[in-house]
Amino acid sequence: MIFKALSLGATVAAAALLHARSSSAACVHSASARDCWGDYDITTDYYETAPHTGVTRTYYLSLNNVTMAPDGFSRSVTAFNSSIPGPTITADWGDTVVVYVTNNLESNGTALHWHGLRQNYTAASDGVPGVTQCAIAPGDTFRYTWHATQYGTTWYHSHFSLQYGNGAIGPIVINGPATANYDVDLGPLTIQDWAHSDAFYLFSINTGPPPAADNGLLNGTNMYNDAGSYYTTTVDPGKTYRLRVINTGVFAHMKFSIDNHTFQVIAADLVPIVPYNATVINVALGQRYDIVFTANQTADNYWIRAIPQLSCTNNKNQNGIKGILRYATAANLTADPTTTAYAYTDDCGDETMSLTPKLTKTISASSAASSGSLPVVFSQAKWYINGVTQVIDWANPSLGMIEAQNASYPSAFNVVSLNGTSSDWAYFVISSSIPADHPLHIHGHDWWVLARGTGTFSGAFTDYLTTAAPRRDVVVLPAVGYLAVAFPLDNPGTWLMHCHIAFHASDGLSLQFVERYSEIRGNVGVDSAWNQTCTNWESYVTVEPTLAEMDDSGI
């Protein structure tokens, strides 16, 4: 990985203070004042105001075919810079991030999605082929540019069918204020299920529920049949640590814990929350939790656990997906822990309705520009939402159609049009009568989660409005249940919404919101380089037509 930070000068940085806090003294971010961030702090409304630091952070990522053995079992993988996870993208709140992604794969297109980033007026960098861009052809490079208007923990992954299930993932850390103090940031911890076979192959032979993964990884490593190694981190007694937990898997709903340790949960996805204590938390696919814990136990070695929930997930190594927390003063710094896991109920619960955002936001009851029902149905081995099983076109993204002033989308694109102004809201009830849970991720927005439960939603949206509604970008639709959700129409663009179980998304469980159509053209980052990517893709598939063949939805 090559990294460089370019300062654009004190003049630009000073201009960023236009929307700064009114306090005459800057709030100094430190171990004892993590809620501070210069002229901003944890109470700043990051939906309306964000720093412009004048700093550009530039990264170069190459997606490669490589043979690796993350858990001791050797297989062909698809990895950024030949690493699982890929390099951590690190920035400060308010920085501009530029990432050059080169497709060095032998026979796949690709695109790179920045999970959870709202991409305000940069929809062309959201990274979904067929929706916000054309696929990147082998040998081609695409430049993504976005402003870090949010802060916290998230991740990037390829968004080309099941490709990320072969290892094409990496963490993102955007430094900013926090709702609890800590001494040391341990950085991101990716947790994921891991198969010993190619994800595309598993999809091709699958006729029922997603197949059982062979194992799981913590930060790209684990043990399997006495081979491999455990993820390990070392702490000093008495110090307090932040850990950024990210479920980057394709099927496994996880419960996360650290033996003998209680922690505070301080953020969910990219939303700071009022801290609460826990020993075990649910982490659905795509979700992130920032936790803070103190090394206040006997100096020893302790298991860190990511446990797939078999009530909704298949995995062949449920109790073996582990890492090690070592105290620096432990008597033996090489021994495996002998600690015992906390008791838990095997289920696919969601922490969402227990979350209280630190920054509360009012939901408008009088400006519902769009509302309706989005039923989820399974029929003839495909998933449907809003009556359609989505199939996109890697060579003809909906954003490109809008730029060409063509709103005649193919029905398989599953477009839901949202028109209004930035003060208007969309409200939807998403429901399912199928006994399967679905972690639903929205691009370009956070969900405002009004209600969640089993059975049938009753009442009106206005019955559930609250300034303290949980917000996040992934929420679990319960089996045989519903979600009532809302979001403001404050981000013109084409935004995918999909189940983050990769096999379900490949089977069509997705749609796209086209938001404020008349304001998209010329305003969201489409330029000559964007168009050249489409030209390069078309040229490549003319020579290699099998590359354009789609066996699934394409997302």
Side-chain angles (χ1 to χ4, degrees):
M1 179 195 72
I2 302 174
F3 164 84
K4 59 182 178 181
L6 304 177
S7 174
L8 300 187
T11 301
V12 177
L17 304 185
L18 181 62
H19 297 291
R21 297 191 317 146
S22 59
S23 171
S24 60
C27 186
V28 179
H29 184 76
S30 66
S32 59
R34 294 291 183 185
D35 59 333
C36 295
W37 196 258
D39 293 280
Y40 304 82
D41 64 22
I42 197 67
T43 66
T44 301
D45 186 346
Y46 46 84
Y47 294 97
E48 304 291 339
T49 301
H52 287 268
T53 62
V55 173
T56 296
R57 300 188 185 269
T58 302
Y59 289 85
Y60 297 85
L61 297 178
S62 170
L63 188 56
N64 305 319
N65 295 115
V66 62
T67 298
M68 296 178 62
D71 60 353
F73 183 93
S74 182
R75 54 156 292 193
S76 176
V77 306
T78 303
F80 289 105
N81 293 14
S82 301
S83 175
I84 300 176
T88 299
I89 302 292
T90 303
D92 288 340
W93 184 25
D95 288 350
T96 295
V97 177
V98 176
V99 186
Y100 292 90
V101 176
T102 299
N103 180 3
N104 282 316
L105 300 179
E106 298 164 3
S107 59
N108 258 186
T110 197
L112 189 53
H113 173 56
W114 316 94
H115 182 107
L117 299 180
R118 296 181 63 229
Q119 298 285 1
N120 300 76
Y121 289 91
T122 54
S125 284
D126 193 47
V128 185
V131 177
T132 64
Q133 68 172 92
C134 291
I136 307 169
D140 199 10
T141 297
F142 190 92
R143 170 181 165 146
Y144 295 92
T145 302
W146 41 269
H147 178 213
T149 61
Q150 302 145 277
Y151 54 86
T153 304
T154 190
W155 59 303
Y156 59 87
H157 60 87
S158 62
H159 222 305
F160 189 90
S161 298
L162 290 130
Q163 191 174 78
Y164 90 86
N166 286 331
I169 61 98
I172 302 173
V173 172
I174 303 174
N175 297 310
T179 58
N181 293 329
Y182 54 90
D183 299 310
V184 179
D185 190 337
L186 291 174
L189 175 61
T190 58
I191 60 176
Q192 65 190 106
D193 46 359
W194 185 247
H196 291 161
S197 298
D198 177 80
F200 290 99
Y201 169 74
L202 291 174
F203 179 77
S204 71
I205 64 171
N206 185 56
T207 58
D214 298 281
N215 201 357
L217 307 175
L218 273 68
N219 268 2
T221 190
N222 196 18
M223 299 283 292
Y224 182 79
N225 285 349
D226 296 323
S229 61
Y230 291 119
Y231 160 79
T232 301
T233 189
T234 302
V235 296
D236 292 320
K239 287 191 174 181
T240 299
Y241 294 85
R242 178 177 184 166
L243 188 61
R244 303 164 181 266
V245 182
I246 313 167
N247 188 338
T248 62
V250 296
F251 184 30
H253 183 112
M254 300 282 200
K255 288 194 189 291
F256 177 84
S257 62
I258 305 173
D259 289 358
N260 293 46
H261 289 76
T262 298
F263 47 79
Q264 283 186 303
V265 184
I266 66 169
D269 298 351
L270 287 169
V271 178
I273 63 172
V274 176
Y276 69 94
N277 292 334
T279 54
V280 181
I281 54 172
N282 291 282
V283 190
L285 292 165
Q287 289 183 339
R288 293 87 66 208
Y289 288 97
D290 290 46
I291 65 172
V292 169
F293 68 94
T294 300
N296 57 8
Q297 299 299 301
T298 301
D300 206 341
N301 304 305
Y302 298 88
W303 288 120
I304 303 169
R305 302 178 188 268
I307 307 173
Q309 299 303 282
L310 299 187
S311 59
C312 66
T313 297
N314 293 325
N315 194 284
K316 298 176 183 177
N317 192 27
Q318 183 189 28
N319 295 315
I321 304 171
K322 299 182 290 189
I324 301 175
L325 177 74
R326 298 194 190 278
Y327 278 58
T329 55
N332 189 334
L333 290 176
T334 60
D336 286 350
T338 58
T339 53
T340 302
Y342 284 107
Y344 67 91
T345 300
D346 191 304
D347 62 23
C348 290
D350 193 342
E351 305 289 319
T352 296
M353 301 314 291
S354 300
L355 307 177
T356 302
K358 179 66 176 178
L359 171 71
T360 57
K361 296 282 288 181
T362 300
I363 304 172
S364 173
S366 59
S367 57
S370 303
S371 63
S373 299
L374 299 173
V376 173
V377 175
F378 186 74
S379 177
Q380 296 181 325
K382 294 292 184 183
W383 287 99
Y384 292 74
I385 184 168
N386 199 36
V388 178
T389 183
Q390 188 181 52
V391 180
I392 51 83
D393 183 347
W394 293 327
N396 186 30
S398 49
L399 184 55
M401 295 180 67
I402 294 168
E403 289 288 327
Q405 297 181 289
N406 177 11
S408 299
Y409 317 106
S411 60
F413 279 19
N414 204 4
V415 170
V416 176
S417 295
L418 304 175
N419 293 310
T421 69
S422 60
S423 60
D424 291 321
W425 287 71
Y427 299 85
F428 292 100
V429 173
I430 308 171
S431 60
S432 173
S433 60
I434 309 298
D437 298 89
H438 300 287
L440 297 181
H441 173 51
I442 187 170
H443 293 213
H445 288 280
D446 286 327
W447 296 118
W448 267 247
V449 186
L450 307 181
R452 176 184 183 273
T454 56
T456 303
F457 177 76
S458 61
F461 287 111
T462 51
D463 297 334
Y464 295 90
L465 299 185
T466 170
T467 58
R471 301 189 306 273
R472 65 182 319 161
D473 57 71
V474 180
V475 63
V476 178
L477 170 64
V480 194
Y482 63 85
L483 290 172
V485 292
F487 55 91
L489 303 186
D490 60 357
N491 197 9
T494 51
W495 305 117
L496 191 69
M497 189 276 281
H498 63 99
C499 178
H500 228 293
I501 296 173
F503 296 90
H504 290 180
S506 283
D507 275 330
L509 213 175
S510 52
L511 57 76
Q512 56 181 308
F513 295 115
V514 172
E515 183 176 342
R516 292 163 58 186
Y517 170 88
S518 64
E519 299 172 63
I520 295 173
R521 185 170 180 263
N523 291 319
V524 298
V526 174
D527 58 14
S528 59
W530 187 97
N531 285 303
Q532 187 62 47
T533 298
C534 292
T535 300
N536 294 348
W537 175 255
E538 291 168 0
S539 297
Y540 191 90
V541 298
T542 298
V543 178
E544 298 285 348
T546 57
L547 196 63
E549 296 175 1
M550 292 173 51
D551 299 320
D552 65 356
S553 67
I555 67 162

